[in-house]
Amino acid sequence: MSTDFLEKLKDFEIPTCLRVCCGTDGSVTFLLEIMTRQPVSVTTESQHIIKADKSIADLLDVEEGSEVNDRVVRLSAGGTVFVYARSLSPLERMPDTMREQLMRADIPIGRILRSHNLETRRDMGELEILEGEPTFGGISLLSRSYKIVHNNRTLMWINERFPIDKRWCL
């Protein structure tokens, strides 16, 4: 994890449980289940295959025009939404069974990765507080982006948005 990412996260005045979820280089789903003592459900808002434009191709290190799964979900536990997430996944880099699970939509990415025993790492990217976004009714959000890397190639790019409020006082 980069020093900048860690220092920035330490400086934010946010609930500790939110700091832990946002700072993990592991599965947010798994941490949410531990913290809430509830199963985490995934609600897919959209999922479709797109052709990588220049910016997506650069982000994922694939050729322009490559097929990419673009998925937007919300993660909930105990009836409360904790995370809004968008993932971009180059289909050419996924094992067939993993692609099938991802396309079934409502399975958390962390659970998919764990079921395939893939050795991965998360390379943290952007971390910022966003104001006035409609995602959670306009309240402040903590946004982080990272890449899941397998065999030194980007398997997924993920942006997660966490509402900054008392739902994290668990």
Side-chain angles (χ1 to χ4, degrees):
M1 184 173 306
S2 79
T3 307
D4 290 345
F5 184 92
L6 184 58
E7 290 307 313
K8 197 183 273 191
L9 184 58
K10 287 198 269 184
D11 285 344
F12 291 146
E13 291 297 325
I14 58 176
T16 300
C17 286
L18 174 54
R19 187 181 321 283
V20 169
C21 272
C22 191
T24 187
D25 61 358
S27 170
V28 169
T29 303
F30 189 70
L31 283 178
L32 278 174
E33 288 184 345
I34 291 169
M35 285 191 260
T36 63
R37 294 178 271 170
Q38 301 280 331
V40 169
S41 63
V42 177
T43 304
T44 303
E45 291 195 353
S46 68
Q47 177 167 269
H48 48 277
I49 305 300
I50 61 171
K51 300 285 186 185
D53 62 15
K54 177 154 178 40
S55 65
I56 290 174
D58 289 347
L59 182 67
L60 299 174
D61 194 25
V62 296
E63 296 291 322
E64 281 186 60
S66 294
E67 289 190 333
V68 173
N69 186 61
D70 185 348
R71 177 169 110 148
V72 175
V73 301
R74 290 185 187 267
L75 302 180
S76 304
T80 301
V81 177
F82 284 89
V83 184
Y84 171 91
R86 179 183 184 208
S87 63
L88 298 172
S89 311
L91 295 180
E92 65 196 44
R93 294 201 182 129
M94 281 191 192
D96 290 340
T97 54
M98 186 174 172
R99 185 178 318 137
E100 290 167 16
Q101 285 184 325
L102 187 65
M103 301 308 260
R104 278 194 302 220
D106 294 337
I107 304 171
I109 287 172
R111 200 168 289 147
I112 293 170
L113 291 171
R114 212 169 24 254
S115 74
H116 285 84
N117 295 319
L118 293 181
E119 290 188 29
T120 62
R121 72 173 190 271
R122 284 170 169 81
D123 290 347
M124 298 304 177
E126 297 294 317
L127 178 67
E128 60 187 332
I129 291 181
L130 303 174
E131 305 288 345
E133 293 277 318
T135 310
F136 283 94
I139 65 172
S140 298
L141 305 174
L142 186 56
S143 172
R144 75 171 186 165
S145 297
Y146 60 93
K147 292 178 180 180
I148 295 178
V149 179
H150 173 64
N151 288 335
N152 292 317
R153 300 180 80 193
T154 301
L155 188 62
M156 295 177 187
W157 171 88
I158 299 174
N159 173 258
E160 294 167 332
R161 295 179 178 204
F162 306 85
I164 303 173
D165 63 9
K166 63 184 175 189
R167 78 187 74 201
W168 294 99
C169 299
L170 302 168

